[in-house]
Amino acid sequence: MDFPVFMALLICALAVPGFGDMGSGKAQSCSDIRQFYNGKGFSLNGVPQSEISGEHLRICPQGYTCCTSVMEDSLSNLSRTEMEGLIRDAGRALQASLNGQYKVFDGYLLELLNRSEGVLQQSYPPALGSLYTQNTRVFSDLYTELRRYYRGSNVNIEEALNEFWARLLERMFKGANGRYLIGDDYLECVSKQSETLRPFGDNPRDLKLKVTRTFVAARSFVQGLVISGEVVRKVSQVPLSPECMRAIMKMTYCPHCRGVATARPCANYCTNVLKGCLANQADLDTEWRNLADAMLQVSNRFEGVSSVDVVFLSLPTHISEAITTMMDNIDTFNNKVRTAKCLFLFSIAKRPQVSDVSRRLRDMQPYWVSLPSTLCSDRVATRSQADKCWNGMARARYLPEVMGDGLASQINNPEVEIDITKPDMTIRQQIMQLKIMTNRLKNAFNGNDVDFQDTSDDVSGSGSGMCTDENCPRGPRLMVPSTDRPKVYAYPPENKKVVKASADHNLPSIAFYLLSLVMLLLRR
């Protein structure tokens, strides 16, 4: 045989499309992927025994493959389900941390209130005799109103304190003048003159300032924890887009279809895929950090002489001092009151370590922008063997640069097609919630009361955001205000990766041409 003819036949033989190993002369067996596919719960009906041509593939590279169209669709749906599960798991972990902080503070604050009321009940009867027992309802109603306020009810805390002092003054005045018949008009007059007469000294004014600031801060802080958990829950449930679904499938299961099942995705490749898939979530970053900063600022209220334990447990002392001021002729009772001051100092419950909570709040700040890297490093990708990882097409190094964070930064993402002009509305609503809660925390830090009653089930839903799948603590009902639909400002597309705007944008020019055509016909 002539040498040119021999070379031509050899070239033709080598050009016959791949039967896997070039040296074997046979198509590669599909036994590995059959076992893998069946292990995922899929039927082996229609699964090839050996490699077939891959022109039918719509996501994976179209070389020789062991995957049919049905297999590609099945694995694509599976990859989406698994990735959404990983995102929800990460969200549940953060929710659990927030839930833990919520339970600690909520339980601690309620225990302080109960202990404060208990000190009042235990210390006053011996000193005041019938004065306390005849006015038990006045004291218990005060603590009831304080609890209702903390739980988020529509209670004006200043009015509640004013009402308490007015009722106490009325009862004590009648008790001190029991041999006289005192009418309601006279009692009303005495009550109106209380600001001038100051029967309780400066105690009502001092107590109002301390209690209002502390309760506003405490209620806002736990509401901040509730809102944070609710945002995490809702955002973690946002479904992945079809474009993201394709990219996830290409990254996770296309290596199996290509016969390189052991090749894990390259780290930067995985990061770009998830930065594209979680671009909207990353836009939470700014307001999420702002909320954490505001909560850290409010947590400073839990330190020093204005801390919740000092203020809550000093309520009996302020009340006793006020009564003593009105009954200053009873010297022996004065001494017992000073003794009562020390009663609560040795029965304070173990308080949370504020520094530990502050550390947790700081740790959660980069959550949304670090989520892609966290998921890749923990579950999906490999940072070793950079030349032998899966880059979306083959086992080789991944060359494109890593994209920035957020929707606008994905305009040139090589792995996920994203329309950056259409942000996710669920996530935009949660960004608005974070802004509102941050403003409320700032107001609370400045001592301004915060109303949680302007709610809307359209935005917030019902129930507490602190719920995990297993447990739902009975905490303050989530109070989230309604918000208008955020304005969306479009970014101009800069490359072909960005999905084009709808045809509606071209309607004015089309109408212009139709009008010109009609005018031309009319002229004829």
Side-chain angles (χ1 to χ4, degrees):
M1 181 184 295
D2 293 339
F3 180 75
V5 176
F6 172 77
M7 290 300 298
L9 292 174
L10 179 61
I11 293 173
C12 289
L14 293 175
V16 175
F19 287 105
D21 274 337
M22 294 175 61
S24 66
K26 298 180 180 179
Q28 285 187 353
S29 170
C30 292
S31 59
D32 288 342
I33 194 170
R34 285 172 61 87
Q35 181 179 359
F36 164 80
Y37 190 70
N38 189 239
K40 291 291 185 179
F42 300 114
S43 171
L44 291 178
N45 292 335
V47 178
Q49 297 286 346
S50 58
E51 287 183 330
I52 58 176
S53 180
E55 288 84 357
H56 58 278
L57 297 177
R58 294 176 299 171
I59 300 176
C60 298
Q62 294 183 335
Y64 271 77
T65 182
C66 285
C67 289
T68 63
S69 295
V70 173
M71 293 173 66
E72 189 180 43
D73 290 340
S74 299
L75 291 174
S76 180
N77 289 327
L78 177 63
S79 66
R80 178 187 63 184
T81 300
E82 291 177 339
M83 182 55 68
E84 288 177 343
L86 291 177
I87 294 170
R88 284 194 296 270
D89 287 345
R92 288 191 190 102
L94 180 55
Q95 279 183 272
S97 176
L98 292 167
N99 189 21
Q101 296 174 61
Y102 166 78
K103 284 183 176 180
V104 168
F105 269 92
D106 183 62
Y108 178 67
L109 294 178
L110 290 177
E111 182 183 356
L112 286 176
L113 274 176
N114 294 337
R115 196 174 289 271
S116 175
E117 187 174 16
V119 169
L120 185 64
Q121 293 172 352
Q122 294 167 11
S123 61
Y124 277 20
L128 303 182
S130 62
L131 178 61
Y132 180 88
T133 56
Q134 291 173 358
N135 300 294
T136 301
R137 184 66 180 270
V138 177
F139 300 111
S140 63
D141 284 352
L142 171 63
Y143 281 91
T144 298
E145 290 298 281
L146 292 177
R147 289 188 186 93
R148 289 184 62 227
Y149 174 83
Y150 168 70
R151 283 302 192 199
S153 298
N154 190 20
V155 174
N156 186 307
I157 196 167
E158 292 190 5
E159 290 181 1
L161 289 169
N162 290 339
E163 177 68 14
F164 165 73
W165 291 116
R167 290 176 65 190
L168 185 60
L169 174 61
E170 176 185 326
R171 299 296 181 90
M172 291 189 64
F173 189 81
K174 289 178 68 174
N177 299 276
R179 64 180 183 272
Y180 299 105
L181 182 62
I182 301 175
D184 292 339
D185 291 341
Y186 189 80
L187 288 175
E188 183 178 358
C189 179
V190 171
S191 178
K192 288 181 178 179
Q193 296 297 319
S194 60
E195 285 291 330
T196 303
L197 300 176
R198 296 171 61 231
F200 298 116
D202 292 331
N203 283 286
R205 185 187 62 186
D206 295 342
L207 189 63
K208 181 189 295 186
L209 180 62
K210 292 178 180 178
V211 168
T212 300
R213 280 184 172 270
T214 302
F215 269 82
V216 167
R219 184 170 79 158
S220 299
F221 186 80
V222 295
Q223 284 287 340
L225 294 174
V226 171
I227 293 291
S228 300
E230 182 73 359
V231 168
V232 173
R233 182 184 67 82
K234 288 187 175 182
V235 173
S236 297
Q237 292 176 349
V238 172
L240 299 177
S241 67
E243 294 78 16
C244 173
M245 176 179 166
R246 291 173 57 88
I248 295 292
M249 167 60 188
K250 186 178 180 182
M251 179 177 70
T252 53
Y253 289 132
C254 283
H256 292 268
C257 293
R258 288 288 287 169
V260 287
T262 58
R264 295 180 63 189
C266 303
N268 287 350
Y269 170 45
C270 177
T271 300
N272 271 347
V273 169
L274 291 184
K275 276 180 179 282
C277 289
L278 302 175
N280 282 281
Q281 287 84 337
D283 282 345
L284 285 158
D285 180 63
T286 298
E287 295 305 326
W288 183 257
R289 290 176 183 270
N290 289 341
L291 177 64
D293 286 338
M295 292 180 68
L296 286 168
Q297 191 177 36
V298 170
S299 70
N300 293 329
R301 292 285 185 200
F302 305 143
E303 296 282 6
V305 294
S306 62
S307 65
V308 288
D309 49 355
V310 172
V311 172
F312 282 24
L313 293 176
S314 66
L315 280 170
T317 303
H318 281 285
I319 294 173
S320 69
E321 287 179 348
I323 294 174
T324 302
T325 300
M326 191 171 179
M327 303 175 65
D328 57 2
N329 59 325
I330 308 177
D331 297 333
T332 56
F333 175 69
N334 226 348
N335 295 328
K336 290 183 178 180
V337 166
R338 290 194 180 93
T339 303
K341 273 188 182 182
C342 301
L343 180 62
F344 67 83
L345 294 179
F346 299 99
S347 58
I348 295 178
K350 182 180 179 181
R351 63 180 300 188
Q353 299 301 315
V354 176
S355 59
D356 181 59
V357 177
S358 299
R359 178 182 59 80
R360 291 175 180 270
L361 289 173
R362 290 189 180 94
D363 288 345
M364 80 177 193
Q365 285 184 309
Y367 175 78
W368 297 110
V369 292
S370 64
L371 185 57
S373 297
T374 300
L375 293 175
C376 287
S377 60
D378 289 350
R379 306 287 185 89
V380 181
T382 178
R383 293 193 176 276
S384 61
Q385 299 179 326
D387 293 327
K388 297 182 180 180
C389 56
W390 175 254
N391 66 7
M393 296 299 294
R395 192 202 298 260
R397 183 179 294 272
Y398 183 74
L399 299 179
E401 64 178 354
V402 175
M403 297 293 102
D405 300 313
L407 187 61
S409 299
Q410 308 310 310
I411 193 168
N412 293 314
N413 193 310
E415 309 305 335
V416 187
E417 291 188 0
I418 305 172
D419 186 351
I420 64 173
T421 68
K422 296 180 179 179
D424 183 271
M425 287 297 103
T426 297
I427 293 177
R428 297 294 148 176
Q429 288 172 343
Q430 298 312 304
I431 291 175
M432 183 64 70
Q433 300 298 356
L434 294 175
K435 288 182 178 180
I436 293 171
M437 190 65 235
T438 299
N439 287 333
R440 290 180 166 186
L441 284 163
K442 290 179 178 179
N443 285 331
F445 179 77
N446 293 325
N448 300 322
D449 202 355
V450 182
D451 179 19
F452 288 95
Q453 288 295 317
D454 49 343
T455 61
S456 170
D457 289 337
D458 295 338
V459 174
S460 66
S462 60
S464 170
M466 303 318 300
C467 297
T468 59
D469 288 348
E470 295 81 14
N471 299 305
C472 256
R474 294 184 177 273
R477 182 180 181 274
L478 181 64
M479 300 295 185
V480 185
S482 61
T483 55
D484 295 330
R485 184 183 180 93
K487 295 181 180 179
V488 179
Y489 298 94
Y491 294 90
E494 295 183 4
N495 75 336
K496 65 180 181 181
K497 276 293 187 182
V498 181
V499 181
K500 302 301 181 184
S502 65
D504 293 343
H505 295 292
N506 296 324
L507 288 179
S509 59
I510 293 174
F512 176 79
Y513 287 121
L514 287 175
L515 181 61
S516 301
L517 180 60
V518 171
M519 294 296 295
L520 180 62
L521 292 174
L522 289 175
R523 287 182 180 179
R524 292 183 177 179

